[in-house]
Amino acid sequence: MTDGTDAGTERGLSARDEAVLAIERRSWPGPGAKERAIREQLGISPTRYYQLLNALLDDPRALAHDPVTINRLCRVRDARRARR
């Protein structure tokens, strides 16, 4: 049994992790719009957002929550690594 202080750590994703994936799932009209949404909706810098997102790519709970987005991002990450 948990005390409820860090909801989502044992069963699923935290609300913040789900919000990160929701932002990543959307399509964006132009440069700057996504970064603005990250700051306004999550209250974090884009750099921190991408750190959190990268960690989610290796989290099985994220894959279970949003397999389409996670698999797409893993393919992009793997392609970038292969080009290096």
Side-chain angles (χ1 to χ4, degrees):
M1 181 179 285
T2 64
D3 62 3
T5 56
D6 195 9
T9 56
E10 291 184 12
R11 292 197 182 128
L13 297 175
S14 68
R16 181 179 66 179
D17 290 343
E18 289 182 11
V20 166
L21 290 175
I23 286 178
E24 197 58 33
R25 191 178 312 120
R26 292 180 52 193
S27 61
W28 298 94
K34 182 177 182 180
E35 287 73 15
R36 192 168 33 256
I38 290 167
R39 290 184 190 281
E40 291 173 359
Q41 294 175 22
L42 299 176
I44 60 176
S45 71
T47 301
R48 181 66 180 139
Y49 168 84
Y50 287 110
Q51 290 170 341
L52 294 169
L53 180 62
N54 194 49
L56 286 171
L57 296 184
D58 298 319
D59 189 332
R61 297 171 302 168
L63 181 61
H65 177 76
D66 193 347
V68 173
T69 301
I70 295 298
N71 285 326
R72 176 179 55 84
L73 294 170
C74 284
R75 284 191 304 272
V76 170
R77 178 177 69 175
D78 293 345
R80 284 184 182 150
R81 285 182 177 168
R83 285 193 303 257
R84 290 185 187 169

